[in-house]
């Protein structure tokens, strides 16, 4: 195909960058936080406004090319090979409406900017653990955040969505204007268009009793089982998780954990500190801590609870949603990811329930709400091949298959273990009835399957 004419016309319409393979900035613009997988488009459009996105989608439709979207590249699971990659990092505006308790956020806004802007008014978004994650992509995938048990999924708190659909139209979609598309975008959004911005609810949270407790599992070997018992009777205002990692004895790891098999219990409690201390006391009683940072903090410091690595790196990850998780299973998976694991594995267990187990006020496509726990396994690709990492992750998840509710949380699959299983059902990511409904809408909104994403929905026949 001779692209000179169409590409020249695209460049005339786009205020941002239009790059082709071989252009000086092309490789850098394709890069994201996930370094193990990289998009390889035939055209990259770095948008500066929604009209640039419209031009890129119309170009792709006219040329019969698929479209993928990247802002920060944190959740990349399936790389685009050919087609048009639309980079939305330049759409980074954040506007707070304090009386309405809402924020308008562009598709490239990172949560750090939203947290800081909202904090000036004593408000907070339903962000996740890492402030550097793109807010819009996070919300479209569901959004399982620091305040989730109290306020639900981030997708449950969306007012409107600005999206460019396959016909090249920029639409503002709400529950009233287009209830079916509004339902689908919140939980399966990238399948139906390129979102350029959205309006989200903010919650009245300005401080937390939060932080992490770090244990040496050589001294507290039953920590995971004890954590699971502790979660059986907690108020919704307390959201928590525990991560296990056998740290290699390498100099770039903190001396505190280097060479140890450690557990990190993360706490975010919106109630008063005195009650928080009482709730956390049973964990502190389990044994000595390598570190204990759980204390009163302003919400602007919430990124310190997990201290997720800020530098791009290579990793794979997958997860399973569980109806139950008992002590025997805890011992088995703790052994699988321990010092004897053939590749480094981070085991991350998130306590669900509370508002996560209740229907959204305005229904959306985020399903499997009966799960009590999410178990994620993350494999940094340090000295391991992708196949070796995938095998190790599948072994951990397989140990809990009997307790699965039949689903995964799509936003926490990264170049994932399931990637190697071509028969992995789409209903792993959506309820069966919801998947059928999404496929019917896909046939209506995007019959040519222009939009490709991590968990692609094929149009219904």
């Amino acid at each position: 195909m001779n692209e000179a004419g169409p590409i020249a016309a695209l460049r005339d319409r786009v205020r941002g960058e239009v790059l082709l393979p071989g252009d000086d900035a092309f490789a850098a613009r394709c890069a994201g936080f996930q370094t193990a997988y990289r998009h390889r488009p035939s055209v990259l459009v770095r948008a500066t406004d929604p009209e640039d996105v419209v031009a890129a989608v119309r170009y792709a439709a006219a040329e019969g090319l698929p479209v993928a979207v990247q802002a920060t590249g944190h959740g990349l699971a399936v790389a685009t090979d050919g087609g048009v990659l639309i980079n939305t990092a330049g759409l980074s505006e954040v506007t707070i409406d304090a009386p309405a308790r809402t924020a308008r956020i562009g598709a490239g806004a990172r949560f750090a900017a939203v947290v800081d802007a909202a904090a000036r008014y004593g408000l907070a978004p339903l962000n996740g653990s890492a402030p550097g994650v793109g807010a819009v992509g996070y919300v479209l995938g569901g959004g399982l955040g620091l305040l989730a048990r109290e306020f639900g999924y981030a997708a449950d708190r969306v007012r409107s969505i600005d999206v460019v659909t396959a016909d090249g139209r920029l639409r503002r979609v709400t529950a009233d204007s287009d209830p079916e598309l509004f339902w689908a975008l919140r939980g399966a959004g990238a399948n139906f268009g390129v979102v350029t911005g959205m309006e989200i609810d903010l919650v009245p949270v300005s401080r937390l009793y939060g932080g992490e407790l770090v244990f040496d599992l050589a001294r507290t070997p039953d920590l995971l089982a004890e954590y699971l018992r502790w979660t059986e009777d907690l108020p919704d205002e307390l959201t928590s998780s525990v991560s296990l990692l056998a740290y290699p004895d390498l100099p770039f790891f903190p001396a505190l954990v280097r060479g140890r098999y450690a557990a990190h219990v993360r706490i975010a409690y919106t109630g008063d500190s005195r009650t928080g201390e009482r709730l956390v006391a049973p964990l502190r009683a389990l044994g000595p801590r390598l570190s204990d940072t759980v204390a009163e903090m302003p919400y602007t410091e919430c990124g310190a609870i997990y201290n997720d690595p800020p530098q791009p790196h290579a990793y794979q990850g997958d997860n399973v949603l569980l109806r139950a998780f008992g002590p025997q299973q805890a011992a088995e998976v703790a052994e699988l990811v321990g010092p004897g694991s053939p590749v480094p594995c981070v085991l991350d267990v998130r306590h669900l329930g509370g508002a996560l187990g209740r229907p959204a006020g305005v229904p959306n496509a985020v399903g499997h709400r009966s799960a009590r726990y999410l178990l994620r396994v993350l494999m940094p690709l340090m000295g391991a091949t992708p196949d070796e990492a995938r095998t190790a992750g599948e072994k951990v998840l397989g140990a809990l298959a009997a307790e699965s509710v039949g689903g995964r949380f799509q936003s926490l699959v990264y170049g994932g273990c399931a990637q190697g299983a071509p028969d992995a059902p789409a209903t792993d990511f959506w309820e069966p009835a919801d998947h059928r409904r999404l496929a019917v809408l896909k046939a209506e909104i995007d019959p040519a399957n222009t939009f490709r994403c991590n968990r692609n929905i094929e149009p219904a026949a």
Side-chain angles (χ1 to χ4, degrees):
M1 180 180 65
N2 181 4
E3 292 187 314
I7 287 292
L10 178 63
R11 284 189 166 126
D12 285 342
R13 291 194 296 269
V14 170
R15 293 177 57 202
E17 295 177 304
V18 177
L19 300 172
L20 304 179
D23 289 346
D24 288 344
F26 181 83
R29 297 295 192 235
C30 288
F33 187 84
Q34 161 68 280
T35 62
Y37 305 92
R38 179 175 294 198
H39 290 295
R40 299 176 298 275
S42 56
V43 182
L44 186 150
V45 176
R46 187 172 172 87
T48 59
D49 57 32
E51 290 306 315
D52 283 357
V53 176
V54 169
V57 170
R58 288 178 178 174
Y59 165 81
E63 297 297 312
L65 296 173
V67 172
V69 184
Q70 178 167 284
T72 65
H74 276 76
L76 179 65
V78 179
T80 293
D81 193 1
V84 179
L85 176 63
I86 301 176
N87 185 298
T88 60
L91 307 178
S92 57
E93 65 278 3
V94 176
T95 304
I96 306 298
D97 184 338
R101 291 184 179 174
T102 62
R104 287 208 63 82
I105 56 176
R110 296 173 184 255
F111 261 127
V114 187
V115 168
D116 287 345
R120 300 182 191 122
Y121 306 97
L123 301 170
L126 296 184
N127 58 287
S129 61
V133 166
V136 164
Y138 169 92
V139 174
L140 293 176
L144 178 60
L146 296 177
L147 307 177
R149 280 176 39 82
E150 183 173 3
F151 297 107
Y153 291 102
D156 298 345
R157 300 295 186 110
V158 178
R159 298 283 188 93
S160 68
I161 299 174
D162 298 334
V163 59
V164 180
T165 46
D167 55 5
R169 290 173 52 204
L170 176 60
R171 311 184 189 189
R172 177 157 293 179
V173 179
T174 69
D176 294 327
S177 71
D178 192 334
E180 191 69 1
L181 183 56
F182 190 61
W183 170 82
L185 288 170
R186 295 168 303 130
N191 278 282
F192 298 95
V194 183
V195 172
T196 62
M198 61 173 58
E199 183 180 17
I200 60 173
D201 286 329
L202 302 173
V203 295
V205 173
S206 60
R207 38 72 57 201
L208 289 174
Y209 182 72
E212 73 169 358
L213 309 168
V214 184
F215 296 86
D216 185 342
L217 289 168
R219 303 183 69 178
T220 53
D222 296 328
L223 186 282
L224 178 56
E226 293 297 334
Y227 168 80
L228 295 171
R229 291 190 186 96
W230 175 73
T231 61
E232 290 175 357
D233 185 24
L234 291 175
D236 293 355
E237 293 79 12
L238 199 160
T239 302
S240 68
S241 71
V242 59
S243 293
L244 276 58
L245 173 60
Y247 285 89
D249 190 6
L250 296 173
F252 52 80
F253 288 109
L256 185 75
V257 293
R258 189 183 307 150
R260 299 179 187 267
Y261 186 22
H264 300 252
V265 182
R266 278 70 180 248
I267 304 292
Y269 176 60
T270 59
D272 66 88
S273 293
R274 180 175 297 182
T275 305
E277 288 180 3
R278 177 179 58 79
L279 290 168
V280 174
L283 293 175
R284 289 185 165 127
L286 294 176
R289 279 90 65 201
L290 298 173
S291 175
D292 184 344
T293 66
V294 181
E296 181 80 10
M297 65 167 62
Y299 196 78
T300 50
E301 295 180 9
C302 65
I305 295 175
Y306 279 73
N307 278 317
D308 287 331
Q311 64 276 10
H313 58 284
Y315 50 94
Q316 287 189 349
D318 203 350
N319 66 86
V320 62
L321 291 160
L322 303 171
R323 64 172 62 89
F325 192 6
Q328 183 175 343
Q329 295 157 322
E332 184 175 357
V333 296
E335 178 70 20
L336 286 172
V337 302
S341 174
V343 300
C345 291
V346 181
L347 183 76
D348 178 31
V349 179
R350 304 198 179 196
H351 181 210
L352 306 180
L356 296 168
R358 297 189 283 271
V362 179
N364 57 44
V366 180
H368 303 297
R369 293 181 182 243
S370 64
R372 294 185 59 202
Y373 298 97
L374 181 149
L375 182 141
R376 177 179 66 151
V377 59
L378 185 71
M379 292 76 67
L381 297 179
M382 299 186 303
T385 68
D387 284 345
E388 289 169 338
R390 184 178 299 119
T391 298
E394 287 175 344
K395 191 171 184 180
V396 175
L397 299 183
L400 290 160
E403 297 299 343
S404 170
V405 299
R408 292 177 171 90
F409 190 67
Q410 58 164 316
S411 295
L412 297 178
V413 177
Y414 314 118
C417 314
Q419 196 84 356
D423 58 346
T427 49
D428 269 15
F429 306 102
W430 296 281
E431 301 275 5
D434 287 347
H435 179 259
R436 290 191 294 271
R437 182 176 170 185
L438 290 165
V440 169
L441 183 63
K442 179 80 168 178
E444 176 188 337
I445 296 292
D446 181 20
N449 198 18
T450 297
F451 299 110
R452 311 290 172 86
C453 61
N454 294 354
R455 296 299 146 211
N456 204 58
I457 296 168
E458 297 288 335

